[in-house]
Amino acid sequence: MGNKLGNQNGLTLLEVLLSIVILSIVLTSFAGFFSQSALFVKKNEEKLSTSQTTQKVVNLIELNISKSRLQTIPDCADLECTLNEDALEALSGQTINSTYTISASFTPGEENLIKAKVAIIDSDDPESSSETFTYIRR
């Protein structure tokens, strides 16, 4: 009977503690990776949102603003001006629902085109701002 107790194979307390320490080190490194991934995803969503808003404003300009309509604004008689969101809405007849600061700059371009630069600025995160250029053809 005495031999039966001496042949038991089991883990010592030291082995159990060592395996828990190693496991906690591995899990801690994975937790840091997932928190960094969450921050990266949030930042990319903000950048994508400003880019989509910029594209929406560009489409609005291309469809609704012509050279003759732009010249009706006193500051834009020479086709060189900068308009804010309210002026763009009034000129295009469309509403822009956005939490960003929107501006569009117009300058005369080549071959009777008007160059438009649309800038979207996120006041909460200036790094996720966006700029896009387009031409008014008519």
Side-chain angles (χ1 to χ4, degrees):
M1 277 199 181
N3 278 345
K4 234 180 183 182
L5 293 177
N7 289 335
Q8 289 184 349
N9 290 330
L11 299 175
T12 64
L13 181 59
L14 183 61
E15 291 170 329
V16 171
L17 289 175
L18 186 61
S19 63
I20 289 174
V21 167
I22 291 172
L23 183 63
S24 64
I25 290 171
V26 170
L27 290 178
T28 303
S29 65
F30 278 124
F33 171 75
F34 286 123
S35 66
Q36 288 297 323
S37 294
L39 290 173
F40 182 74
V41 166
K42 184 178 184 230
K43 193 163 221 40
N44 280 339
E45 284 176 352
E46 291 169 356
K47 286 182 180 181
L48 181 62
S49 178
T50 57
S51 295
Q52 287 174 338
T53 304
T54 305
Q55 190 58 48
K56 178 183 172 185
V57 174
V58 165
N59 290 339
L60 184 86
I61 289 171
E62 288 176 343
L63 294 175
N64 299 312
I65 297 177
S66 63
K67 182 178 181 180
S68 58
R69 286 187 87 177
L70 192 59
Q71 286 178 321
T72 61
I73 298 175
D75 293 341
C76 292
D78 60 350
L79 297 177
E80 192 160 337
C81 60
T82 300
L83 303 177
N84 62 10
E85 181 178 350
D86 296 333
L88 283 171
E89 286 179 346
L91 187 63
S92 67
Q94 301 284 327
T95 354
I96 305 169
N97 295 325
S98 176
T99 59
Y100 305 118
T101 305
I102 300 172
S103 68
S105 302
F106 300 94
T107 54
E110 299 174 9
E111 298 180 16
N112 206 22
L113 298 174
I114 300 170
K115 185 177 180 180
K117 172 188 167 188
V118 177
I120 306 293
I121 300 169
D122 184 359
S123 56
D124 296 335
D125 184 17
E127 288 184 12
S128 66
S129 300
S130 179
E131 288 183 350
T132 302
F133 297 88
T134 188
Y135 287 95
I136 298 175
R137 295 175 186 89
R138 38 189 180 104

PDB file of all heavy atoms in Angstrom, residues 22-60:
ATOM      1  N   ILE A  22       3.128  32.487 -16.915  1.00  0.00           N
ATOM      2  CA  ILE A  22       3.386  32.499 -18.362  1.00  0.00           C
ATOM      3  C   ILE A  22       2.100  32.807 -19.130  1.00  0.00           C
ATOM      4  O   ILE A  22       2.091  33.604 -20.069  1.00  0.00           O
ATOM      5  CB  ILE A  22       4.009  31.161 -18.814  1.00  0.00           C
ATOM      6  CG1 ILE A  22       5.422  31.036 -18.247  1.00  0.00           C
ATOM      7  CG2 ILE A  22       4.027  31.054 -20.338  1.00  0.00           C
ATOM      8  CD1 ILE A  22       6.060  29.690 -18.471  1.00  0.00           C
ATOM      9  N   LEU A  23       1.014  32.193 -18.729  1.00  0.00           N
ATOM     10  CA  LEU A  23      -0.279  32.441 -19.378  1.00  0.00           C
ATOM     11  C   LEU A  23      -0.703  33.898 -19.226  1.00  0.00           C
ATOM     12  O   LEU A  23      -1.191  34.514 -20.175  1.00  0.00           O
ATOM     13  CB  LEU A  23      -1.344  31.505 -18.792  1.00  0.00           C
ATOM     14  CG  LEU A  23      -2.729  31.587 -19.427  1.00  0.00           C
ATOM     15  CD1 LEU A  23      -2.671  31.178 -20.888  1.00  0.00           C
ATOM     16  CD2 LEU A  23      -3.704  30.724 -18.666  1.00  0.00           C
ATOM     17  N   SER A  24      -0.515  34.486 -18.055  1.00  0.00           N
ATOM     18  CA  SER A  24      -0.907  35.882 -17.844  1.00  0.00           C
ATOM     19  C   SER A  24      -0.040  36.828 -18.672  1.00  0.00           C
ATOM     20  O   SER A  24      -0.533  37.838 -19.172  1.00  0.00           O
ATOM     21  CB  SER A  24      -0.864  36.246 -16.366  1.00  0.00           C
ATOM     22  OG  SER A  24       0.445  36.167 -15.885  1.00  0.00           O
ATOM     23  N   ILE A  25       1.230  36.525 -18.861  1.00  0.00           N
ATOM     24  CA  ILE A  25       2.099  37.353 -19.710  1.00  0.00           C
ATOM     25  C   ILE A  25       1.617  37.315 -21.156  1.00  0.00           C
ATOM     26  O   ILE A  25       1.520  38.349 -21.825  1.00  0.00           O
ATOM     27  CB  ILE A  25       3.568  36.893 -19.604  1.00  0.00           C
ATOM     28  CG1 ILE A  25       4.123  37.237 -18.221  1.00  0.00           C
ATOM     29  CG2 ILE A  25       4.427  37.525 -20.696  1.00  0.00           C
ATOM     30  CD1 ILE A  25       5.488  36.635 -17.940  1.00  0.00           C
ATOM     31  N   VAL A  26       1.283  36.150 -21.641  1.00  0.00           N
ATOM     32  CA  VAL A  26       0.796  36.007 -23.019  1.00  0.00           C
ATOM     33  C   VAL A  26      -0.534  36.742 -23.200  1.00  0.00           C
ATOM     34  O   VAL A  26      -0.735  37.472 -24.172  1.00  0.00           O
ATOM     35  CB  VAL A  26       0.670  34.513 -23.388  1.00  0.00           C
ATOM     36  CG1 VAL A  26      -0.057  34.338 -24.706  1.00  0.00           C
ATOM     37  CG2 VAL A  26       2.037  33.868 -23.457  1.00  0.00           C
ATOM     38  N   LEU A  27      -1.457  36.586 -22.260  1.00  0.00           N
ATOM     39  CA  LEU A  27      -2.761  37.236 -22.368  1.00  0.00           C
ATOM     40  C   LEU A  27      -2.650  38.756 -22.270  1.00  0.00           C
ATOM     41  O   LEU A  27      -3.394  39.480 -22.926  1.00  0.00           O
ATOM     42  CB  LEU A  27      -3.713  36.698 -21.301  1.00  0.00           C
ATOM     43  CG  LEU A  27      -4.175  35.250 -21.502  1.00  0.00           C
ATOM     44  CD1 LEU A  27      -5.075  34.816 -20.356  1.00  0.00           C
ATOM     45  CD2 LEU A  27      -4.893  35.097 -22.827  1.00  0.00           C
ATOM     46  N   THR A  28      -1.731  39.245 -21.471  1.00  0.00           N
ATOM     47  CA  THR A  28      -1.520  40.693 -21.359  1.00  0.00           C
ATOM     48  C   THR A  28      -1.037  41.278 -22.680  1.00  0.00           C
ATOM     49  O   THR A  28      -1.478  42.346 -23.092  1.00  0.00           O
ATOM     50  CB  THR A  28      -0.511  41.005 -20.241  1.00  0.00           C
ATOM     51  OG1 THR A  28      -0.978  40.441 -19.018  1.00  0.00           O
ATOM     52  CG2 THR A  28      -0.316  42.493 -20.073  1.00  0.00           C
ATOM     53  N   SER A  29      -0.142  40.588 -23.351  1.00  0.00           N
ATOM     54  CA  SER A  29       0.337  41.084 -24.646  1.00  0.00           C
ATOM     55  C   SER A  29      -0.791  41.089 -25.676  1.00  0.00           C
ATOM     56  O   SER A  29      -0.898  42.006 -26.481  1.00  0.00           O
ATOM     57  CB  SER A  29       1.522  40.271 -25.140  1.00  0.00           C
ATOM     58  OG  SER A  29       1.128  38.944 -25.399  1.00  0.00           O
ATOM     59  N   PHE A  30      -1.673  40.092 -25.653  1.00  0.00           N
ATOM     60  CA  PHE A  30      -2.816  40.072 -26.566  1.00  0.00           C
ATOM     61  C   PHE A  30      -3.808  41.184 -26.236  1.00  0.00           C
ATOM     62  O   PHE A  30      -4.402  41.775 -27.136  1.00  0.00           O
ATOM     63  CB  PHE A  30      -3.528  38.720 -26.551  1.00  0.00           C
ATOM     64  CG  PHE A  30      -2.874  37.683 -27.408  1.00  0.00           C
ATOM     65  CD1 PHE A  30      -2.477  36.482 -26.861  1.00  0.00           C
ATOM     66  CD2 PHE A  30      -2.650  37.905 -28.748  1.00  0.00           C
ATOM     67  CE1 PHE A  30      -1.869  35.517 -27.654  1.00  0.00           C
ATOM     68  CE2 PHE A  30      -2.041  36.966 -29.550  1.00  0.00           C
ATOM     69  CZ  PHE A  30      -1.658  35.756 -28.992  1.00  0.00           C
ATOM     70  N   ALA A  31      -3.996  41.502 -24.983  1.00  0.00           N
ATOM     71  CA  ALA A  31      -4.922  42.572 -24.590  1.00  0.00           C
ATOM     72  C   ALA A  31      -4.427  43.918 -25.127  1.00  0.00           C
ATOM     73  O   ALA A  31      -5.225  44.732 -25.592  1.00  0.00           O
ATOM     74  CB  ALA A  31      -5.071  42.611 -23.073  1.00  0.00           C
ATOM     75  N   GLY A  32      -3.130  44.148 -25.078  1.00  0.00           N
ATOM     76  CA  GLY A  32      -2.562  45.373 -25.641  1.00  0.00           C
ATOM     77  C   GLY A  32      -2.775  45.446 -27.138  1.00  0.00           C
ATOM     78  O   GLY A  32      -3.079  46.512 -27.687  1.00  0.00           O
ATOM     79  N   PHE A  33      -2.644  44.331 -27.817  1.00  0.00           N
ATOM     80  CA  PHE A  33      -2.862  44.286 -29.265  1.00  0.00           C
ATOM     81  C   PHE A  33      -4.307  44.638 -29.608  1.00  0.00           C
ATOM     82  O   PHE A  33      -4.571  45.409 -30.517  1.00  0.00           O
ATOM     83  CB  PHE A  33      -2.503  42.887 -29.792  1.00  0.00           C
ATOM     84  CG  PHE A  33      -2.883  42.675 -31.227  1.00  0.00           C
ATOM     85  CD1 PHE A  33      -2.147  43.256 -32.241  1.00  0.00           C
ATOM     86  CD2 PHE A  33      -3.974  41.896 -31.547  1.00  0.00           C
ATOM     87  CE1 PHE A  33      -2.497  43.059 -33.566  1.00  0.00           C
ATOM     88  CE2 PHE A  33      -4.331  41.693 -32.864  1.00  0.00           C
ATOM     89  CZ  PHE A  33      -3.587  42.273 -33.876  1.00  0.00           C
ATOM     90  N   PHE A  34      -5.268  44.101 -28.876  1.00  0.00           N
ATOM     91  CA  PHE A  34      -6.667  44.360 -29.166  1.00  0.00           C
ATOM     92  C   PHE A  34      -7.057  45.804 -28.858  1.00  0.00           C
ATOM     93  O   PHE A  34      -7.857  46.403 -29.577  1.00  0.00           O
ATOM     94  CB  PHE A  34      -7.570  43.383 -28.406  1.00  0.00           C
ATOM     95  CG  PHE A  34      -7.541  41.998 -28.979  1.00  0.00           C
ATOM     96  CD1 PHE A  34      -7.179  40.927 -28.184  1.00  0.00           C
ATOM     97  CD2 PHE A  34      -7.858  41.762 -30.295  1.00  0.00           C
ATOM     98  CE1 PHE A  34      -7.137  39.642 -28.699  1.00  0.00           C
ATOM     99  CE2 PHE A  34      -7.825  40.491 -30.828  1.00  0.00           C
ATOM    100  CZ  PHE A  34      -7.462  39.426 -30.040  1.00  0.00           C
ATOM    101  N   SER A  35      -6.501  46.403 -27.820  1.00  0.00           N
ATOM    102  CA  SER A  35      -6.819  47.805 -27.528  1.00  0.00           C
ATOM    103  C   SER A  35      -6.248  48.714 -28.616  1.00  0.00           C
ATOM    104  O   SER A  35      -6.892  49.685 -29.020  1.00  0.00           O
ATOM    105  CB  SER A  35      -6.309  48.197 -26.151  1.00  0.00           C
ATOM    106  OG  SER A  35      -4.906  48.176 -26.115  1.00  0.00           O
ATOM    107  N   GLN A  36      -5.051  48.418 -29.107  1.00  0.00           N
ATOM    108  CA  GLN A  36      -4.476  49.195 -30.208  1.00  0.00           C
ATOM    109  C   GLN A  36      -5.297  49.021 -31.485  1.00  0.00           C
ATOM    110  O   GLN A  36      -5.486  49.971 -32.242  1.00  0.00           O
ATOM    111  CB  GLN A  36      -3.020  48.777 -30.457  1.00  0.00           C
ATOM    112  CG  GLN A  36      -2.061  49.223 -29.398  1.00  0.00           C
ATOM    113  CD  GLN A  36      -1.983  50.733 -29.300  1.00  0.00           C
ATOM    114  OE1 GLN A  36      -2.044  51.444 -30.280  1.00  0.00           O
ATOM    115  NE2 GLN A  36      -1.871  51.225 -28.079  1.00  0.00           N
ATOM    116  N   SER A  37      -5.789  47.834 -31.722  1.00  0.00           N
ATOM    117  CA  SER A  37      -6.631  47.591 -32.895  1.00  0.00           C
ATOM    118  C   SER A  37      -7.919  48.394 -32.821  1.00  0.00           C
ATOM    119  O   SER A  37      -8.377  48.947 -33.822  1.00  0.00           O
ATOM    120  CB  SER A  37      -6.969  46.104 -33.010  1.00  0.00           C
ATOM    121  OG  SER A  37      -5.824  45.359 -33.262  1.00  0.00           O
ATOM    122  N   ALA A  38      -8.515  48.486 -31.651  1.00  0.00           N
ATOM    123  CA  ALA A  38      -9.750  49.252 -31.482  1.00  0.00           C
ATOM    124  C   ALA A  38      -9.503  50.737 -31.750  1.00  0.00           C
ATOM    125  O   ALA A  38     -10.322  51.396 -32.407  1.00  0.00           O
ATOM    126  CB  ALA A  38     -10.309  49.049 -30.080  1.00  0.00           C
ATOM    127  N   LEU A  39      -8.387  51.284 -31.287  1.00  0.00           N
ATOM    128  CA  LEU A  39      -8.058  52.678 -31.560  1.00  0.00           C
ATOM    129  C   LEU A  39      -7.822  52.915 -33.042  1.00  0.00           C
ATOM    130  O   LEU A  39      -8.253  53.926 -33.606  1.00  0.00           O
ATOM    131  CB  LEU A  39      -6.818  53.093 -30.765  1.00  0.00           C
ATOM    132  CG  LEU A  39      -6.980  53.209 -29.259  1.00  0.00           C
ATOM    133  CD1 LEU A  39      -5.629  53.463 -28.596  1.00  0.00           C
ATOM    134  CD2 LEU A  39      -7.953  54.315 -28.921  1.00  0.00           C
ATOM    135  N   PHE A  40      -7.150  51.985 -33.692  1.00  0.00           N
ATOM    136  CA  PHE A  40      -6.878  52.085 -35.126  1.00  0.00           C
ATOM    137  C   PHE A  40      -8.173  52.071 -35.929  1.00  0.00           C
ATOM    138  O   PHE A  40      -8.348  52.856 -36.855  1.00  0.00           O
ATOM    139  CB  PHE A  40      -5.959  50.923 -35.544  1.00  0.00           C
ATOM    140  CG  PHE A  40      -5.577  50.939 -36.981  1.00  0.00           C
ATOM    141  CD1 PHE A  40      -4.658  51.858 -37.457  1.00  0.00           C
ATOM    142  CD2 PHE A  40      -6.120  50.024 -37.867  1.00  0.00           C
ATOM    143  CE1 PHE A  40      -4.293  51.878 -38.792  1.00  0.00           C
ATOM    144  CE2 PHE A  40      -5.766  50.033 -39.192  1.00  0.00           C
ATOM    145  CZ  PHE A  40      -4.842  50.957 -39.663  1.00  0.00           C
ATOM    146  N   VAL A  41      -9.099  51.200 -35.567  1.00  0.00           N
ATOM    147  CA  VAL A  41     -10.384  51.111 -36.262  1.00  0.00           C
ATOM    148  C   VAL A  41     -11.171  52.404 -36.087  1.00  0.00           C
ATOM    149  O   VAL A  41     -11.745  52.936 -37.040  1.00  0.00           O
ATOM    150  CB  VAL A  41     -11.194  49.897 -35.749  1.00  0.00           C
ATOM    151  CG1 VAL A  41     -12.641  49.964 -36.181  1.00  0.00           C
ATOM    152  CG2 VAL A  41     -10.560  48.608 -36.241  1.00  0.00           C
ATOM    153  N   LYS A  42     -11.179  52.961 -34.899  1.00  0.00           N
ATOM    154  CA  LYS A  42     -11.920  54.211 -34.641  1.00  0.00           C
ATOM    155  C   LYS A  42     -11.349  55.351 -35.461  1.00  0.00           C
ATOM    156  O   LYS A  42     -12.085  56.134 -36.062  1.00  0.00           O
ATOM    157  CB  LYS A  42     -11.875  54.551 -33.159  1.00  0.00           C
ATOM    158  CG  LYS A  42     -12.695  55.761 -32.816  1.00  0.00           C
ATOM    159  CD  LYS A  42     -12.665  56.045 -31.331  1.00  0.00           C
ATOM    160  CE  LYS A  42     -13.582  57.214 -31.059  1.00  0.00           C
ATOM    161  NZ  LYS A  42     -13.018  58.246 -30.299  1.00  0.00           N
ATOM    162  N   LYS A  43     -10.046  55.470 -35.501  1.00  0.00           N
ATOM    163  CA  LYS A  43      -9.401  56.537 -36.266  1.00  0.00           C
ATOM    164  C   LYS A  43      -9.688  56.390 -37.760  1.00  0.00           C
ATOM    165  O   LYS A  43      -9.969  57.381 -38.450  1.00  0.00           O
ATOM    166  CB  LYS A  43      -7.900  56.521 -36.019  1.00  0.00           C
ATOM    167  CG  LYS A  43      -7.196  57.740 -36.508  1.00  0.00           C
ATOM    168  CD  LYS A  43      -5.843  57.783 -35.850  1.00  0.00           C
ATOM    169  CE  LYS A  43      -5.394  59.097 -35.396  1.00  0.00           C
ATOM    170  NZ  LYS A  43      -6.225  60.031 -34.790  1.00  0.00           N
ATOM    171  N   ASN A  44      -9.672  55.182 -38.271  1.00  0.00           N
ATOM    172  CA  ASN A  44      -9.969  54.958 -39.684  1.00  0.00           C
ATOM    173  C   ASN A  44     -11.431  55.244 -40.004  1.00  0.00           C
ATOM    174  O   ASN A  44     -11.746  55.730 -41.093  1.00  0.00           O
ATOM    175  CB  ASN A  44      -9.602  53.537 -40.098  1.00  0.00           C
ATOM    176  CG  ASN A  44      -8.122  53.407 -40.367  1.00  0.00           C
ATOM    177  OD1 ASN A  44      -7.442  54.386 -40.622  1.00  0.00           O
ATOM    178  ND2 ASN A  44      -7.624  52.198 -40.303  1.00  0.00           N
ATOM    179  N   GLU A  45     -12.335  54.966 -39.079  1.00  0.00           N
ATOM    180  CA  GLU A  45     -13.745  55.290 -39.293  1.00  0.00           C
ATOM    181  C   GLU A  45     -13.937  56.795 -39.396  1.00  0.00           C
ATOM    182  O   GLU A  45     -14.709  57.275 -40.221  1.00  0.00           O
ATOM    183  CB  GLU A  45     -14.604  54.725 -38.160  1.00  0.00           C
ATOM    184  CG  GLU A  45     -14.844  53.244 -38.248  1.00  0.00           C
ATOM    185  CD  GLU A  45     -15.625  52.696 -37.065  1.00  0.00           C
ATOM    186  OE1 GLU A  45     -15.856  53.433 -36.082  1.00  0.00           O
ATOM    187  OE2 GLU A  45     -16.009  51.516 -37.129  1.00  0.00           O
ATOM    188  N   GLU A  46     -13.233  57.558 -38.565  1.00  0.00           N
ATOM    189  CA  GLU A  46     -13.320  59.010 -38.622  1.00  0.00           C
ATOM    190  C   GLU A  46     -12.778  59.542 -39.945  1.00  0.00           C
ATOM    191  O   GLU A  46     -13.370  60.431 -40.554  1.00  0.00           O
ATOM    192  CB  GLU A  46     -12.568  59.628 -37.449  1.00  0.00           C
ATOM    193  CG  GLU A  46     -13.230  59.380 -36.112  1.00  0.00           C
ATOM    194  CD  GLU A  46     -12.354  59.773 -34.929  1.00  0.00           C
ATOM    195  OE1 GLU A  46     -11.189  60.177 -35.137  1.00  0.00           O
ATOM    196  OE2 GLU A  46     -12.855  59.671 -33.796  1.00  0.00           O
ATOM    197  N   LYS A  47     -11.657  59.003 -40.404  1.00  0.00           N
ATOM    198  CA  LYS A  47     -11.093  59.427 -41.688  1.00  0.00           C
ATOM    199  C   LYS A  47     -12.036  59.084 -42.832  1.00  0.00           C
ATOM    200  O   LYS A  47     -12.226  59.877 -43.761  1.00  0.00           O
ATOM    201  CB  LYS A  47      -9.732  58.768 -41.921  1.00  0.00           C
ATOM    202  CG  LYS A  47      -8.623  59.348 -41.096  1.00  0.00           C
ATOM    203  CD  LYS A  47      -7.307  58.677 -41.409  1.00  0.00           C
ATOM    204  CE  LYS A  47      -6.195  59.256 -40.570  1.00  0.00           C
ATOM    205  NZ  LYS A  47      -4.905  58.639 -40.859  1.00  0.00           N
ATOM    206  N   LEU A  48     -12.634  57.913 -42.783  1.00  0.00           N
ATOM    207  CA  LEU A  48     -13.569  57.507 -43.823  1.00  0.00           C
ATOM    208  C   LEU A  48     -14.795  58.406 -43.832  1.00  0.00           C
ATOM    209  O   LEU A  48     -15.300  58.785 -44.890  1.00  0.00           O
ATOM    210  CB  LEU A  48     -13.980  56.046 -43.610  1.00  0.00           C
ATOM    211  CG  LEU A  48     -14.940  55.460 -44.637  1.00  0.00           C
ATOM    212  CD1 LEU A  48     -14.309  55.464 -46.009  1.00  0.00           C
ATOM    213  CD2 LEU A  48     -15.336  54.060 -44.235  1.00  0.00           C
ATOM    214  N   SER A  49     -15.261  58.790 -42.658  1.00  0.00           N
ATOM    215  CA  SER A  49     -16.426  59.672 -42.563  1.00  0.00           C
ATOM    216  C   SER A  49     -16.151  61.027 -43.190  1.00  0.00           C
ATOM    217  O   SER A  49     -16.983  61.564 -43.927  1.00  0.00           O
ATOM    218  CB  SER A  49     -16.829  59.827 -41.100  1.00  0.00           C
ATOM    219  OG  SER A  49     -17.912  60.706 -40.982  1.00  0.00           O
ATOM    220  N   THR A  50     -14.981  61.614 -42.926  1.00  0.00           N
ATOM    221  CA  THR A  50     -14.656  62.906 -43.536  1.00  0.00           C
ATOM    222  C   THR A  50     -14.482  62.769 -45.046  1.00  0.00           C
ATOM    223  O   THR A  50     -14.911  63.642 -45.803  1.00  0.00           O
ATOM    224  CB  THR A  50     -13.394  63.530 -42.913  1.00  0.00           C
ATOM    225  OG1 THR A  50     -12.302  62.621 -43.043  1.00  0.00           O
ATOM    226  CG2 THR A  50     -13.602  63.899 -41.475  1.00  0.00           C
ATOM    227  N   SER A  51     -13.909  61.665 -45.499  1.00  0.00           N
ATOM    228  CA  SER A  51     -13.755  61.440 -46.942  1.00  0.00           C
ATOM    229  C   SER A  51     -15.109  61.293 -47.631  1.00  0.00           C
ATOM    230  O   SER A  51     -15.324  61.823 -48.726  1.00  0.00           O
ATOM    231  CB  SER A  51     -12.915  60.194 -47.207  1.00  0.00           C
ATOM    232  OG  SER A  51     -11.613  60.375 -46.745  1.00  0.00           O
ATOM    233  N   GLN A  52     -16.036  60.599 -47.000  1.00  0.00           N
ATOM    234  CA  GLN A  52     -17.369  60.445 -47.577  1.00  0.00           C
ATOM    235  C   GLN A  52     -18.107  61.780 -47.620  1.00  0.00           C
ATOM    236  O   GLN A  52     -18.803  62.080 -48.596  1.00  0.00           O
ATOM    237  CB  GLN A  52     -18.175  59.425 -46.778  1.00  0.00           C
ATOM    238  CG  GLN A  52     -17.722  58.005 -46.989  1.00  0.00           C
ATOM    239  CD  GLN A  52     -18.436  57.029 -46.069  1.00  0.00           C
ATOM    240  OE1 GLN A  52     -18.962  57.391 -45.034  1.00  0.00           O
ATOM    241  NE2 GLN A  52     -18.444  55.769 -46.472  1.00  0.00           N
ATOM    242  N   THR A  53     -17.956  62.590 -46.582  1.00  0.00           N
ATOM    243  CA  THR A  53     -18.584  63.909 -46.573  1.00  0.00           C
ATOM    244  C   THR A  53     -17.995  64.783 -47.672  1.00  0.00           C
ATOM    245  O   THR A  53     -18.720  65.500 -48.367  1.00  0.00           O
ATOM    246  CB  THR A  53     -18.409  64.584 -45.201  1.00  0.00           C
ATOM    247  OG1 THR A  53     -18.944  63.725 -44.195  1.00  0.00           O
ATOM    248  CG2 THR A  53     -19.111  65.917 -45.143  1.00  0.00           C
ATOM    249  N   THR A  54     -16.686  64.720 -47.855  1.00  0.00           N
ATOM    250  CA  THR A  54     -16.037  65.475 -48.920  1.00  0.00           C
ATOM    251  C   THR A  54     -16.570  65.062 -50.277  1.00  0.00           C
ATOM    252  O   THR A  54     -16.895  65.898 -51.116  1.00  0.00           O
ATOM    253  CB  THR A  54     -14.509  65.275 -48.877  1.00  0.00           C
ATOM    254  OG1 THR A  54     -14.028  65.604 -47.583  1.00  0.00           O
ATOM    255  CG2 THR A  54     -13.813  66.116 -49.908  1.00  0.00           C
ATOM    256  N   GLN A  55     -16.709  63.768 -50.497  1.00  0.00           N
ATOM    257  CA  GLN A  55     -17.211  63.278 -51.781  1.00  0.00           C
ATOM    258  C   GLN A  55     -18.659  63.701 -51.998  1.00  0.00           C
ATOM    259  O   GLN A  55     -19.060  64.028 -53.108  1.00  0.00           O
ATOM    260  CB  GLN A  55     -17.079  61.751 -51.866  1.00  0.00           C
ATOM    261  CG  GLN A  55     -17.342  61.207 -53.243  1.00  0.00           C
ATOM    262  CD  GLN A  55     -16.424  61.797 -54.294  1.00  0.00           C
ATOM    263  OE1 GLN A  55     -15.216  61.864 -54.099  1.00  0.00           O
ATOM    264  NE2 GLN A  55     -16.973  62.226 -55.403  1.00  0.00           N
ATOM    265  N   LYS A  56     -19.440  63.723 -50.935  1.00  0.00           N
ATOM    266  CA  LYS A  56     -20.834  64.167 -51.024  1.00  0.00           C
ATOM    267  C   LYS A  56     -20.897  65.633 -51.468  1.00  0.00           C
ATOM    268  O   LYS A  56     -21.703  65.994 -52.332  1.00  0.00           O
ATOM    269  CB  LYS A  56     -21.522  63.988 -49.672  1.00  0.00           C
ATOM    270  CG  LYS A  56     -22.950  64.457 -49.631  1.00  0.00           C
ATOM    271  CD  LYS A  56     -23.525  64.298 -48.240  1.00  0.00           C
ATOM    272  CE  LYS A  56     -24.882  64.935 -48.130  1.00  0.00           C
ATOM    273  NZ  LYS A  56     -25.406  64.893 -46.758  1.00  0.00           N
ATOM    274  N   VAL A  57     -20.056  66.483 -50.891  1.00  0.00           N
ATOM    275  CA  VAL A  57     -20.031  67.902 -51.252  1.00  0.00           C
ATOM    276  C   VAL A  57     -19.531  68.080 -52.683  1.00  0.00           C
ATOM    277  O   VAL A  57     -20.059  68.900 -53.438  1.00  0.00           O
ATOM    278  CB  VAL A  57     -19.184  68.709 -50.243  1.00  0.00           C
ATOM    279  CG1 VAL A  57     -19.017  70.147 -50.686  1.00  0.00           C
ATOM    280  CG2 VAL A  57     -19.816  68.649 -48.865  1.00  0.00           C
ATOM    281  N   VAL A  58     -18.536  67.308 -53.095  1.00  0.00           N
ATOM    282  CA  VAL A  58     -18.034  67.373 -54.466  1.00  0.00           C
ATOM    283  C   VAL A  58     -19.148  67.017 -55.448  1.00  0.00           C
ATOM    284  O   VAL A  58     -19.345  67.704 -56.453  1.00  0.00           O
ATOM    285  CB  VAL A  58     -16.805  66.448 -54.650  1.00  0.00           C
ATOM    286  CG1 VAL A  58     -16.505  66.219 -56.111  1.00  0.00           C
ATOM    287  CG2 VAL A  58     -15.599  67.045 -53.951  1.00  0.00           C
ATOM    288  N   ASN A  59     -19.889  65.959 -55.160  1.00  0.00           N
ATOM    289  CA  ASN A  59     -21.007  65.577 -56.034  1.00  0.00           C
ATOM    290  C   ASN A  59     -22.060  66.676 -56.086  1.00  0.00           C
ATOM    291  O   ASN A  59     -22.624  66.956 -57.147  1.00  0.00           O
ATOM    292  CB  ASN A  59     -21.636  64.268 -55.559  1.00  0.00           C
ATOM    293  CG  ASN A  59     -20.742  63.081 -55.791  1.00  0.00           C
ATOM    294  OD1 ASN A  59     -19.838  63.113 -56.612  1.00  0.00           O
ATOM    295  ND2 ASN A  59     -20.979  62.021 -55.051  1.00  0.00           N
ATOM    296  N   LEU A  60     -22.332  67.287 -54.957  1.00  0.00           N
ATOM    297  CA  LEU A  60     -23.287  68.394 -54.883  1.00  0.00           C
ATOM    298  C   LEU A  60     -22.824  69.557 -55.766  1.00  0.00           C
ATOM    299  O   LEU A  60     -23.623  70.142 -56.509  1.00  0.00           O
ATOM    300  CB  LEU A  60     -23.424  68.845 -53.429  1.00  0.00           C
ATOM    301  CG  LEU A  60     -24.439  69.918 -53.137  1.00  0.00           C
ATOM    302  CD1 LEU A  60     -25.794  69.264 -52.926  1.00  0.00           C
ATOM    303  CD2 LEU A  60     -24.047  70.675 -51.892  1.00  0.00           C
TER     304      LEU A  60
END
